[in-house]
Amino acid sequence: MNFHETIAGKRFFESQLPMLITALQDISKKMTLPASVIRLPKANPDFLTGLYRNSGIYEPTQESKAINHAAIKAQDDFLPFLSKEGRMAFDKYQEIAADRSEEFASRAYRLGFQTAMQMLACGMAATPPKGEKQK
């Protein structure tokens, strides 16, 4: 009696062998797929703000010192010509302008950080096998 004629042989050829072939095909497909993206835990919503505040953005540079010096000199030149109400209006303007500059710098930092992370994520894609061109 041949193996394929036995109960075990019939079970092997009709059930186990097709399942084995399917399993090998699944393994082969998964080996050719790019690596999955790493999932990170959700960050604290203030994460970027903390990075921004600790980034050294507030450290004075030679350029920022020169700009501050020029602004103070210009302010000293025209402030004597303002009335009390004019000075109050100018002080309010300065506060708003400072807030606007802070928001703009914070947004620029956030967008730069997001762009850097996107570039990093793009670099995490699986590289094609040697000799195969990337699509």
Side-chain angles (χ1 to χ4, degrees):
M1 179 178 267
N2 293 322
F3 178 65
H4 69 279
E5 295 171 337
T6 65
I7 293 174
K10 283 185 180 187
R11 187 179 308 132
F12 176 75
F13 284 109
E14 292 175 7
S15 176
Q16 293 173 339
L17 184 60
M19 287 189 329
L20 179 62
I21 291 169
T22 302
L24 288 172
Q25 288 172 336
D26 289 346
I27 291 170
S28 175
K29 284 179 188 174
K30 288 182 181 176
M31 290 180 73
T32 60
L33 293 175
S36 62
V37 176
I38 298 171
R39 297 207 183 267
L40 299 173
K42 188 173 180 180
N44 178 337
D46 296 328
F47 172 72
L48 286 179
T49 301
L51 282 179
Y52 171 69
R53 300 243 184 260
N54 294 322
S55 68
I57 192 79
Y58 297 107
E59 296 296 320
T61 63
Q62 291 298 338
E63 184 179 57
S64 67
K65 287 177 184 178
I67 292 169
N68 284 341
H69 181 69
I72 290 169
K73 182 176 180 343
Q75 183 176 320
D76 288 344
D77 288 346
F78 74 80
L79 276 180
F81 298 105
L82 295 179
S83 66
K84 183 178 179 182
E85 292 81 17
R87 284 181 180 238
M88 289 173 56
F90 179 72
D91 288 342
K92 183 167 181 70
Y93 166 78
Q94 279 188 306
E95 287 177 26
I96 293 169
D99 289 345
R100 180 182 59 191
S101 293
E102 175 71 20
E103 191 280 330
F104 179 80
S106 179
R107 185 167 20 113
Y109 182 86
R110 183 175 60 251
L111 292 173
F113 184 85
Q114 289 170 347
T115 301
M117 291 298 101
Q118 288 172 347
M119 292 171 71
L120 180 64
C122 289
M124 294 173 78
T127 55
K130 199 171 193 174
E132 187 178 315
K133 290 185 178 180
Q134 192 165 359
K135 296 176 184 176

